Amino acid sequence: MKSKKAFTLITLFIAGESIFLLPFVVARIFRPTFLAVFEINNFQLGSAFSVYGVLALISYFLGGPLADRFSAKKLMSFSLFITAIGGVFMSSIPSLLGLTFLYGFWGITTILLFWAAFIKATRAYGGATTQGFAFGSIDAGRGLFAAILASLGVYLFDYFIPVDASIASRDQLSTALSGIILIFSTITLLTSLLVCVVIPSCSNQVEEKHNKISLEGLRTVIKNKAVWLNALIVLCAYVGYKCTDDFSLYASDVLGYNDVDAAHIGTISFWLRPVGALAAGLLGDRLSHSKMIRYCFIIMLVGGVLIASNGFTSVESIFVVLTLAVTSLGIYGLRGLYFALLEDNNIPFVFTGSAAGFISFIGYTPDVFFGPLMGLILDNSPGADGHQQLFLVVAGFALLGLLATFGFEKLRTKEISSSA
């Protein structure tokens, strides 16, 4: 039984990260190279992310009832399979139009069929008393898996380039990036098979009562005020996560690192993700999930303010790397906890898909607006100025998230007192 749960845990975190390798991880690690190879700027890449975000938002909303009705195992496996097919097209280095259509396609494949089903499977794994451990350990595992792949990807990228990265031609960089994309596509495809074999089929009470998709869950969760605050918490935390896309570009633009060294800076954040997520999850079960979320928002706020108020140079690179590292701990701690609030809010398990879908519909709106916003800020204010402005925005959302967490705690305390 223990070994079965262990395999389930491992499969969940591999699946939870593999689904986003192609849409996000490639561009996050190799952002300077990605821009050069596809011959686009930050705003154009951000616009492609926005197409993903718009279709993802619709998919979040529709995917909740879908996950309440159908097997999480089947939905996740099929989603991984068709997402991997898109990676083969990406490896051909399509035009900006083709890349934009691809991100729209992924907005559907990675969310409609996957996300709510994944949250439901994770909540089922955690049970009633270890939601912090479940979400924290799975996000930690996702982070560890991503860090390993990121480090391996940087190594292989460097290996695929026949010359020093600083003097490599576009064709040489393109060939190396295509190889990385195909490797990540293969990993995504193999994960689809792993999910089929390992993930158990969860019983679903809604499925037993209905032979079609029901909106009962959505109606129930929308009436819950704490769910709206939970969604705002996710939104503010996700802005911080989206900003990690800037870390490697920051190292390139401000610290003067070449493409390979900048990618190494980007991977530091990946390696801190398992630490932040697991620590926050375990402490959240012992203290309270909302209290740990407060602490994480404070870390994100302080880190954003520090970077926004200083123009770092290569002489101070150690300080900025440490600042980015600590800020990453807070950001990833939030990711390991914010869906654990579903149990704190007493959302019925049969409506987990609907609750996760609605929260995600609001919480992941940064997929729509933050990419273009980041592109505009960085393109219009080159160098340190743009990055400082970006982290000021992050600090503002951290403050808003902190206030939303206080509101969530106050509302839950009031509801508990009135029911006592």
Side-chain angles (χ1 to χ4, degrees):
M1 182 63 71
K2 288 184 177 180
S3 61
K4 185 177 180 180
K5 288 206 72 173
F7 281 125
T8 301
L9 175 67
I10 293 169
T11 301
L12 280 171
F13 72 63
I14 290 176
E17 195 60 29
S18 293
I19 194 69
F20 298 117
L21 288 177
L22 293 163
F24 294 113
V25 174
V26 172
R28 182 173 301 133
I29 301 172
F30 303 104
R31 191 177 183 99
T33 305
F34 195 94
L35 297 175
V37 167
F38 282 90
E39 298 182 309
I40 56 177
N41 59 31
N42 287 293
F43 178 75
Q44 290 170 322
L45 178 59
S47 297
F49 283 151
S50 282
V51 172
Y52 173 98
V54 169
L55 290 172
L57 283 185
I58 299 171
S59 297
Y60 281 128
F61 198 75
L62 299 177
L66 199 66
D68 286 338
R69 172 63 180 85
F70 296 106
S71 164
K73 175 180 184 173
K74 293 178 181 178
L75 291 172
M76 291 166 62
S77 180
F78 184 64
S79 173
L80 286 157
F81 174 77
I82 56 178
T83 297
I85 300 302
V88 177
F89 174 68
M90 188 189 203
S91 69
S92 68
I93 315 298
S95 66
L96 175 60
L97 180 62
L99 186 67
T100 302
F101 273 110
L102 178 61
Y103 270 94
F105 171 74
W106 278 335
I108 297 172
T109 67
T110 63
I111 303 302
L112 178 66
L113 303 176
F114 186 89
W115 185 247
F118 173 71
I119 297 298
K120 177 182 170 184
T122 303
R123 190 179 180 195
Y125 178 86
T129 59
T130 57
Q131 289 294 298
F133 171 76
F135 283 100
S137 60
I138 287 174
D139 201 69
R142 289 177 62 187
L144 179 61
F145 183 61
I148 292 171
L149 290 182
S151 296
L152 178 63
V154 173
Y155 171 78
L156 290 175
F157 179 71
D158 192 26
Y159 176 78
F160 290 155
I161 301 175
V163 297
D164 186 88
S166 60
I167 59 172
S169 67
R170 178 186 175 275
D171 287 342
Q172 290 170 327
L173 292 173
S174 178
T175 300
L177 189 63
S178 293
I180 297 299
I181 293 170
L182 286 174
I183 290 172
F184 282 7
S185 299
T186 302
I187 291 170
T188 306
L189 182 62
L190 292 176
T191 304
S192 171
L193 300 176
L194 184 65
V195 168
C196 275
V197 173
V198 177
I199 298 298
S201 298
C202 299
S203 61
N204 193 330
Q205 296 176 31
V206 173
E207 187 173 338
E208 292 172 3
K209 293 193 298 181
H210 302 278
N211 57 11
K212 62 182 180 179
I213 296 174
S214 170
L215 298 180
E216 180 184 353
L218 278 176
R219 287 192 293 267
T220 300
V221 301
I222 288 174
K223 294 177 182 178
N224 190 318
K225 295 179 182 178
V227 167
W228 288 83
L229 288 170
N230 195 165
L232 182 56
I233 289 168
V234 173
L235 187 154
C236 295
Y238 196 57
V239 165
Y241 178 69
K242 293 290 288 183
C243 192
T244 62
D245 288 354
D246 181 54
F247 287 1
S248 63
L249 190 63
Y250 185 99
S252 176
D253 287 352
V254 181
L255 303 182
Y257 293 171
N258 65 32
D259 285 10
V260 172
D261 290 337
H264 279 298
I265 294 298
T267 61
I268 291 175
S269 176
F270 280 81
W271 281 105
L272 289 170
R273 181 176 171 185
V275 178
L278 183 58
L282 292 173
L283 289 171
D285 282 339
R286 290 178 63 88
L287 302 174
S288 82
H289 302 137
S290 58
K291 182 179 291 186
M292 282 306 303
I293 286 175
R294 274 196 280 125
Y295 295 155
C296 290
F297 270 128
I298 291 172
I299 292 173
M300 178 176 156
L301 173 61
V302 172
V305 169
L306 282 175
I307 297 176
S309 60
N310 289 280
F312 294 108
T313 65
S314 58
V315 177
E316 300 158 323
S317 61
I318 293 178
F319 179 75
V320 68
V321 168
L322 287 174
T323 304
L324 291 173
V326 174
T327 305
S328 296
L329 288 174
I331 290 170
Y332 291 129
L334 290 167
R335 284 178 59 82
L337 277 176
Y338 48 51
F339 278 111
L341 296 177
L342 287 172
E343 195 70 25
D344 294 356
N345 202 21
N346 298 320
I347 298 296
F349 179 76
V350 293
F351 296 145
T352 298
S354 294
F358 178 73
I359 290 170
S360 299
F361 174 73
I362 296 175
Y364 292 129
T365 51
D367 277 334
V368 177
F369 71 81
F370 196 73
L373 177 62
M374 183 165 71
L376 282 173
I377 291 173
L378 296 178
D379 289 340
N380 291 336
S381 301
D385 287 345
H387 294 279
Q388 288 176 250
Q389 293 172 25
L390 181 63
F391 277 92
L392 185 61
V393 171
V394 170
F397 275 97
L399 179 59
L400 179 59
L402 185 60
L403 296 175
T405 308
F406 279 120
F408 180 91
E409 292 176 317
K410 184 177 180 179
L411 185 60
R412 290 300 302 140
T413 299
K414 181 179 179 181
E415 291 177 353
I416 291 171
S417 298
S418 62
S419 62

